[in-house]
Amino acid sequence: MNARDPSNLNDLVAHVADTSGLPQGVARRVVEDVLAYHLESLEDYVTRRHRELAAAGWKNPDIYPRLLEEVERRPFRAPACTLRQIRRMIYG
């Protein structure tokens, strides 16, 4: 199954709908949301969260360690990162 192709999700959507009692449309949105969460790349996650934290008033010396902690808890498989790698993902 190619998780990025919504036409391949029909069996999974049907399973979620059948086992949860959710309507098909809601089950599809749940499946798509979960897949999007798990398919986000490490770099996309780090840059998105940096923007979110900075917009909330956090400063970089506090953001970088926070991102390191969050990446360790994420459900995607990611290599260990250093603070320098986190900064480079954000600023290039």
Side-chain angles (χ1 to χ4, degrees):
M1 168 173 63
N2 180 350
R4 295 181 191 271
D5 181 359
S7 65
N8 290 331
L9 300 178
N10 294 336
D11 289 343
L12 180 56
V13 169
H15 174 74
V16 170
D18 291 345
T19 60
S20 68
L22 292 172
Q24 286 280 328
V26 175
R28 179 166 293 280
R29 284 193 303 276
V30 168
V31 167
E32 289 171 352
D33 286 347
V34 169
L35 288 174
Y37 179 84
H38 286 281
L39 293 174
E40 185 175 31
S41 72
L42 174 62
E43 186 169 342
D44 289 344
Y45 176 80
V46 168
T47 55
R48 177 180 59 79
R49 282 297 290 149
H50 179 267
R51 279 192 311 274
E52 292 171 354
L53 293 169
W58 288 58
K59 302 297 179 202
N60 284 341
D62 298 317
I63 291 175
Y64 299 145
R66 168 82 181 251
L67 290 174
L68 279 174
E69 290 174 13
E70 289 182 11
V71 165
E72 289 175 0
R73 293 191 310 264
R74 286 288 291 183
F76 56 74
R77 188 174 180 134
C81 293
T82 65
L83 287 175
R84 183 170 190 255
Q85 287 171 315
I86 295 288
R87 284 192 297 269
R88 291 195 56 115
M89 283 182 211
I90 296 164
Y91 297 112

